Amino acid sequence: MKAAGKTIVVLTRDRVAWFSPGAGPGAEQARAPGSSDADAVRLLLGPVRDPGQVTILSDTVFTQRIPLSRAQSAGLSQEELGRALAFEAEPFSGIPAGETALGFVADGPEAYRVAAMPATVRAELHAAVRAAGGRLAGISSATDAPRHGGLAEWLAGVASSAETRPHISPPARESSPVRYQSVALGGIAAALVILAGLNFWQTTRLRRFEQENEAHATLTNRLTQLNRQREALNLEIAALDQDTVRRGEIQARRGAAGSLLGALAARCGENVLVQKMEAQSPSEILVSGIALEAGEVDNLSIALTGDLAAAGWSARAATKTGLRQTAGGGPWAFSILLSHRELLQAAPAARRGEVLE
Amino acid sequence: MNPSITRWIKPLLPAVLVLILGWLVRLRPAAAEADLMQRRVENQGDIRSREDAVRLAEAQLDAVRVQAKEKSAAAGATRLEFSTNAAARDLSDLCRGHRISLNSAAVDKAAQLPPSLKAAASAVSGTGQIWRVELTGAYPDLQAMLGGLSKTGPLIIPLSLSMTAAEDGTSPPQWSLLLWL
């Protein structure tokens, strides 16, 4: 016979039965005299194929309403509350509190309905269900089961009042060394996977920043190189510019002497006679002569300065002496000093005497 | 604590230990190194602006190269050169051409260039010498000859000149020129 995933086993003093909701009536038979609940379950479920989740209702399960004041239950966890109820139930059930498997539901504001059985019996029932290929879903009391017939109707009533019936949970699975090791190894493996993942993430992050840093460094080096090349070229251009200026100065200097003679020839009229030119230095020429009028010497200096500015010369009257041969004191012996601007560009110490020894 | 929780925590303790050790030995130093590198990268600013700066620098360099090439070509076109022998020959030709008597010409070792011309000499190829040249000739002829000197191929630069007119006023004046050639 095959159950439909859920099986209810009812154990009373003289009868045993199993039902599978939705899969037919199951079976009901007389209980073997003197058999324990575990033996009864084993015998009953032996022919049942795949009983699934098995709920056991037994009239050997102790059940009672236990009052517990709010002050006593306040702040207790479910587990602590279970232990407290086990102590309260001990005088009535006769089961030592430390060995009790207990289930409970609230029954009013200051009372609980408990179901209790020795933990060893629960373990036996659990083992019997497992041996039959099922899983123990829970154990509850069947003290109110009818003694003769009507089990199906009673079960329907149980199902409808399931929430008000205390229910003993199956024993917690105990940790075996193999299981412990498996969990430990699994945990270590998971930790290693997490570490490897985080390490990969950090390594990837580091590599990305290193690449960015390298790209920055490459660009910086390139920029430095370009700036150096530009500075070198700018220096080269500056040198070329300076050379251009110097060539211009030399070209201008080539024509300076010719310009000087041309300006003198143009500006000295009939009343001015140039008698001598004397190089004071490569940059200074003292022009001497005779003029009929004193003012003409000054006019000549002014005119020469204007005419020769482009050629780099400036003229300055140096001496003017009346020879007292005419009524006005003239004629006038004069000298004009013509200085080239290169004199001004020289250091003061080198201006005179040092340039032409 | 809930015993079921405690029962699960115990076997997981080695894994927690592995996590802590891995974090201490590997992850924390790696994270610190990555953080340091990240700060270094962030402190260097945006890489795109750096790329823009490189592109700008390349464009500027190209422009400066073109400028340098143009200036170099211009400098080559206006090249000046000293060549004493050729200049002396040109001087003789100019004197003859302008009816000027070349009385004497000799290197004047005592004469020195003004400092500014000395500095400008670096822009001229070849090395010039200072010559003192004694001449006799009419004022207009010497003026014309000086004009010719400014146009010779090899450089001839009149630095100074002296003139002494003849006492009688009929003979042409004496000239003393200091030439850099």
Side-chain angles (χ1 to χ4, degrees):
Chain A
M1 278 185 285
K2 185 176 182 341
K6 282 187 180 176
T7 303
I8 299 172
V9 174
V10 182
L11 305 175
T12 63
R13 187 181 305 169
D14 48 7
R15 283 188 302 164
V16 293
W18 73 270
F19 301 91
S20 181
E28 183 176 348
Q29 60 194 53
R31 182 169 183 164
S35 62
S36 67
D37 280 359
D39 292 338
V41 167
R42 209 170 283 120
L43 285 170
L44 186 64
L45 294 183
V48 179
R49 186 155 52 92
D50 189 16
Q53 292 187 336
V54 178
T55 302
I56 297 173
L57 303 171
S58 172
D59 61 359
T60 59
V61 173
F62 169 82
T63 182
Q64 185 161 331
R65 186 173 186 272
I66 304 289
L68 195 69
S69 69
R70 284 181 182 171
Q72 286 176 295
S73 62
L76 297 180
S77 65
Q78 285 295 99
E79 191 181 340
E80 290 165 340
L81 186 58
R83 283 202 293 272
L85 288 170
F87 276 109
E88 294 296 325
E90 184 178 343
F92 307 105
S93 65
I95 306 168
E99 299 168 8
T100 302
L102 183 131
F104 60 90
V105 293
D107 187 7
E110 293 193 336
Y112 294 87
R113 179 157 292 281
V114 301
M117 69 189 310
T120 51
V121 175
R122 180 180 65 173
E124 287 169 6
L125 287 172
H126 181 241
V129 170
R130 288 194 66 180
R135 294 185 303 280
L136 182 62
I139 303 166
S140 194
S141 171
T143 51
D144 53 342
R147 290 192 176 275
H148 304 286
L151 271 179
E153 292 77 10
W154 174 76
L155 276 174
V158 168
S160 63
S161 61
E163 301 213 348
T164 60
R165 296 178 77 89
H167 185 89
I168 301 170
S169 299
R173 295 171 68 180
E174 290 184 8
S175 308
S176 67
V178 173
R179 187 177 176 78
Y180 185 93
Q181 284 175 2
S182 301
V183 172
L185 288 174
I188 290 171
L192 288 174
V193 168
I194 291 169
L195 285 174
L198 288 173
N199 185 54
F200 176 76
W201 175 63
Q202 288 292 3
T203 309
T204 306
R205 190 166 156 254
L206 177 63
R207 196 174 302 131
R208 181 164 59 86
F209 288 133
E210 281 176 343
Q211 284 170 350
E212 284 184 26
N213 188 50
E214 197 176 323
H216 267 291
T218 305
L219 286 173
T220 303
N221 289 340
R222 174 78 178 135
L223 196 58
T224 307
Q225 191 185 14
L226 289 170
N227 285 336
R228 280 185 186 154
Q229 287 177 358
R230 195 181 57 189
E231 282 170 18
L233 279 174
N234 279 334
L235 287 175
E236 199 177 309
I237 288 172
L240 286 169
D241 286 343
Q242 197 176 14
D243 279 356
T244 302
V245 170
R246 285 171 173 168
R247 281 196 299 276
E249 285 174 3
I250 287 176
Q251 284 288 21
R253 194 65 172 84
R254 289 181 84 177
S259 300
L260 190 151
L261 289 190
L264 275 175
R267 290 293 178 179
C268 292
E270 292 177 351
N271 295 335
V272 178
L273 176 65
V274 174
Q275 294 175 311
K276 194 175 182 182
M277 282 186 264
E278 192 179 355
Q280 304 290 299
S281 74
S283 308
E284 287 179 307
I285 297 171
L286 189 68
V287 177
S288 307
I290 292 176
L292 287 181
E293 299 295 334
E296 287 181 297
V297 177
D298 302 320
N299 290 337
L300 180 61
S301 296
I302 293 167
L304 286 177
T305 297
D307 291 351
L308 293 173
W313 297 104
S314 62
R316 179 165 50 88
T319 60
K320 191 165 58 177
T321 308
L323 299 179
R324 297 176 189 277
Q325 293 173 6
T326 63
W332 300 85
F334 70 89
S335 62
I336 295 173
L337 185 65
L338 292 159
S339 307
H340 197 270
R341 63 168 168 245
E342 66 201 13
L343 258 184
L344 302 173
Q345 294 164 354
R351 285 185 65 178
R352 290 185 68 89
E354 190 178 301
V355 288
L356 185 64
E357 292 171 357
Chain B
M1 189 183 284
N2 193 326
S4 61
I5 295 174
T6 312
R7 198 171 62 241
W8 282 105
I9 284 178
K10 279 183 185 173
L12 290 176
L13 283 177
V16 173
L17 190 66
V18 167
L19 274 177
I20 292 172
L21 279 174
W23 180 74
L24 283 174
V25 173
R26 174 62 195 157
L27 289 182
R28 194 171 65 159
E33 193 179 358
D35 290 345
L36 183 69
M37 192 58 74
Q38 183 180 11
R39 278 197 297 276
R40 193 179 294 171
V41 168
E42 286 171 354
N43 286 340
Q44 292 181 74
D46 184 20
I47 197 162
R48 286 184 185 169
S49 63
R50 188 65 58 94
E51 286 169 346
D52 290 344
V54 168
R55 276 194 286 276
L56 180 65
E58 284 172 342
Q60 287 175 340
L61 181 63
D62 288 343
V64 173
R65 274 193 185 125
V66 169
Q67 195 183 359
K69 198 173 177 182
E70 287 171 356
K71 285 187 183 285
S72 182
T78 57
R79 190 164 171 266
L80 298 176
E81 187 180 11
F82 278 119
S83 175
T84 305
N85 292 333
R89 183 198 60 209
D90 287 353
L91 176 66
S92 301
D93 291 347
L94 282 168
C95 287
R96 190 166 51 251
H98 290 93
R99 298 173 301 281
I100 291 171
S101 169
L102 179 58
N103 302 327
S104 68
V107 174
D108 187 343
K109 291 184 177 173
Q112 287 190 358
L113 288 170
S116 63
L117 280 182
K118 214 180 261 186
S122 62
V124 182
S125 57
T127 308
Q129 292 177 316
I130 298 176
W131 284 56
R132 186 172 291 282
V133 180
E134 304 292 339
L135 305 165
T136 304
Y139 190 105
D141 293 336
L142 194 93
Q143 185 186 343
M145 190 208 76
L146 285 177
L149 283 183
S150 66
K151 298 183 181 98
T152 54
L155 270 180
I156 303 175
I157 302 165
L159 296 173
S160 70
L161 59 83
S162 298
M163 182 203 78
T164 308
E167 291 289 331
D168 56 7
T170 56
S171 304
Q174 299 289 316
W175 300 89
S176 176
L177 269 61
L178 208 56
L179 302 177
W180 184 22
L181 48 88

